């Protein structure tokens, strides 16, 4: 993740709100998009990077955001994407919500940086992206209504339990998903959003050639098959994960997840001065993946030293590279005026 500098020279990290060096107020300025230090008194702050007037996002009072807006008394650009938050009367709700908002902001900042949906043309008007952070609900008869993590028509639902590291770890082991993390979930679900809002509208033929026609495979049936029989033995030759084998939609979402993982590592390597990767839409994605996998192997060795999981699979087969290249090429696609004007139905 891209870092920044406080006016005193200290580095500012993603979630910082106060500089440990000079006690300046820190956060993300929505006017210039940067992490920045802010100067002035209580309600008279201004951004050190762009000079804009800066008001605290309303969610700062809940400890779930560190952003600043140009207008007073409002939510920041990032927090506005969330339309349903948990019931905050439960003691565990606030830290879970904070973890989800952090991961969501991390995702959105990356998508904006890369110029990917929903930050393409007028997509947020025609195919709005929204997040709902839900909990399982028990009705008066004691019946449990489970909240399912997933995407439908622009709404990404995350079950709050995913923000609980103990619960998530038990699911990670049970479902055999080594990279089950909050940011991983969000990168997967945004893959479904990108599919629905953009890929299926601008590059459908290549999508069908690479991932298959999603409407030719019954989803419920595919899911039952997957949980009954598991992935084919040779899955690793053409898929990025076992789950990707289940259905074309899941294959695409898993590919987007890995693409965003790779771009995140490349961006951090640039920020830390270890590399100078070209992350533009024109970059050669094959060469980029090769170089990033060298970093992955090194970092996974450090993780192994501490008994942690590998960062990512350390090899990606040719078929997966072709799919990653498809996702990368989406960044050069534009919405034609005709497509841009069509709203979701
Ligand atoms: Zn400072
Ligand atoms: Zn600014
Ligand atoms: Zn906010
Ligand atoms: Zn999915």
């Amino acid at each position: 993740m891209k870092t920044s500098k406080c006016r005193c020279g200290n580095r500012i990290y993603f979630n910082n709100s106060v500089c440990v060096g000079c006690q300046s107020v820190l956060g993300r300025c929505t006017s210039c998009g940067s992490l920045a230090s802010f100067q002035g008194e209580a309600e008279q702050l201004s951004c050190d990077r762009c000079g804009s007037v800066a008001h605290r996002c309303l969610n700062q009072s809940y400890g779930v955001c560190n952003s600043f807006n140009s207008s007073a008394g409002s939510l920041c650009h990032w927090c506005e994407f969330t339309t349903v938050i948990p019931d905050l009367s439960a003691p565990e709700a606030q830290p879970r919500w904070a973890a989800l908002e952090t991961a969501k902001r991390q995702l959105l900042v990356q998508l904006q940086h890369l110029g990917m949906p929903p930050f393409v043309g007028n997509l947020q008007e025609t195919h709005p992206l929204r997040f709902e952070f839900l909990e399982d609900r028990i009705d008066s008869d004691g019946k449990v209504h489970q909240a399912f993590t997933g995407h439908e028509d622009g709404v990404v639902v995350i079950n709050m339990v995913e923000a609980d590291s103990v619960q998530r770890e038990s699911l990670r082991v049970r479902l055999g998903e080594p990279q089950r993390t909050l940011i991983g979930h969000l990168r997967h679900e945004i893959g479904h959003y990108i599919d629905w809002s953009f890929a299926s509208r601008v590059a459908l033929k290549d999508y069908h050639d690479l991932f298959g026609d999603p409407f030719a495979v019954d989803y419920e049936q595919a899911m039952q098959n997957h949980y009954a029989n598991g992935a084919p033995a040779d899955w690793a030759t053409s898929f990025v994960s076992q789950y990707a084998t289940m259905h074309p939609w899941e294959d695409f979402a898993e590919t987007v997840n890995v693409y965003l993982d790779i771009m995140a590592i490349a961006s951090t390597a640039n920020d830390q001065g270890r590399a100078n990767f070209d992350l533009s839409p024109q970059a050669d994605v094959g060469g980029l993946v090769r170089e990033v996998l060298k970093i992955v192997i090194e970092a996974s060795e450090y993780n192994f030293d501490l008994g942690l999981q590998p960062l990512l699979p350390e090899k990606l087969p040719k078929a997966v590279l072709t799919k990653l290249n498809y996702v990368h090429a989406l960044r050069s696609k534009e919405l034609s005026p005709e497509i841009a004007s069509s709203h979701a139905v």
Side-chain angles (χ1 to χ4, degrees):
M1 181 50 75
K2 205 167 164 14
T3 56
S4 186
K5 287 260 171 77
C6 176
R7 92 169 76 96
C8 73
N10 260 7
R11 211 187 263 257
I12 309 175
Y13 295 94
F14 189 77
N15 253 347
N16 287 166
S17 52
V18 177
C19 176
V20 290
C22 72
Q23 307 304 312
S24 287
V25 173
L26 304 178
R28 186 172 299 276
C29 169
T30 49
S31 298
C32 63
S34 320
L35 288 172
S37 46
F38 296 83
Q39 53 185 311
E41 295 301 313
E43 293 309 308
Q44 295 287 318
L45 294 167
S46 66
C47 171
D48 276 338
R49 293 190 88 84
C50 70
S52 297
V53 178
H55 298 275
R56 289 176 189 275
C57 165
L58 286 177
N59 276 349
Q60 283 205 23
S61 57
Y62 298 99
V64 302
C65 181
N66 65 344
S67 299
F68 290 82
N69 299 323
S70 53
S71 55
S74 57
L75 288 175
C76 74
H77 182 45
W78 316 114
C79 286
E80 273 184 340
F81 278 90
T82 307
T83 51
V84 181
I85 64 161
D87 172 3
L88 296 176
S89 60
E92 71 279 10
Q94 191 279 341
R96 288 181 180 181
W97 181 31
L100 280 164
E101 285 297 343
T102 298
K104 188 200 79 184
R105 202 163 57 252
Q106 185 183 352
L107 172 79
L108 292 173
V109 166
Q110 182 184 28
L111 293 171
Q112 186 160 37
H113 179 63
L114 295 174
M116 291 177 75
F119 304 102
V120 176
N122 63 345
L123 216 52
Q124 189 58 13
E125 286 160 41
T126 60
H127 292 68
L129 171 66
R130 294 285 174 252
F131 293 84
E132 295 183 358
F133 300 143
L134 303 182
E135 291 156 292
D136 293 342
R137 194 170 51 79
I138 302 171
D139 66 19
S140 50
D141 300 330
K143 197 166 167 238
V144 178
H145 298 268
Q146 217 181 328
F148 288 102
T149 292
H151 165 269
E152 192 167 5
D153 297 344
V155 178
V156 171
V157 171
I158 304 287
N159 187 320
M160 294 297 291
V161 144
E162 294 291 352
D164 180 309
S165 52
V166 174
Q167 294 269 11
R168 193 173 61 240
E169 179 63 12
S170 94
L171 280 173
R172 189 184 71 76
V173 172
R174 185 151 63 79
L175 299 178
E177 296 176 10
Q179 270 87 26
R180 195 177 179 97
T181 59
L182 262 191
I183 187 66
H185 271 310
L186 288 168
R187 287 187 177 135
H188 174 98
E189 298 306 335
I190 209 70
H192 290 309
Y193 169 77
I194 293 171
D195 187 336
W196 170 77
S197 68
F198 197 70
S200 60
R201 299 165 75 214
V202 300
L204 187 61
K205 189 183 171 306
D206 289 347
Y207 184 114
H208 284 179
D209 290 347
L210 285 172
F211 302 95
D213 176 0
F215 291 99
V217 189
D218 181 78
Y219 190 86
E220 287 300 317
Q221 190 65 52
M223 194 164 64
Q224 280 173 23
N225 285 349
H226 180 75
Y227 287 115
N229 307 318
D234 63 348
W235 67 268
T237 58
S238 25
F239 293 91
V240 74
S241 68
Q242 297 192 36
Y243 192 66
T245 65
M246 187 170 107
H247 189 275
W249 281 332
E250 300 307 339
D251 191 9
F252 180 80
E254 287 287 88
T255 306
V256 168
N257 185 354
V258 169
Y259 178 78
L260 293 176
D261 284 348
I262 286 169
M263 296 310 269
I265 294 167
S267 167
T268 296
N270 282 353
D271 187 66
Q272 296 290 325
R274 294 181 64 89
N276 191 16
F277 293 128
D278 176 7
L279 306 184
S280 74
Q282 291 74 40
D284 162 30
V285 79
L288 181 63
V289 168
R290 250 193 326 276
E291 291 305 310
V292 168
L293 286 183
K294 290 181 191 167
I295 298 175
V296 166
I297 289 167
E298 184 184 344
S300 295
E301 284 300 303
Y302 295 127
N303 279 5
F304 180 76
D305 288 336
L306 303 179
L308 299 170
Q309 296 295 318
L311 225 51
L312 277 178
E314 294 178 356
K315 256 192 177 155
L316 293 172
K318 199 160 171 286
V320 168
L321 284 175
T322 309
K323 291 174 190 177
L324 287 170
N325 203 36
Y326 171 86
V327 172
H328 182 65
L330 286 175
R331 291 173 57 202
S332 306
K333 302 264 185 226
E334 285 176 20
L335 291 159
S336 67
E338 196 182 51
I339 294 179
S341 62
S342 63
H343 284 249
V345 282

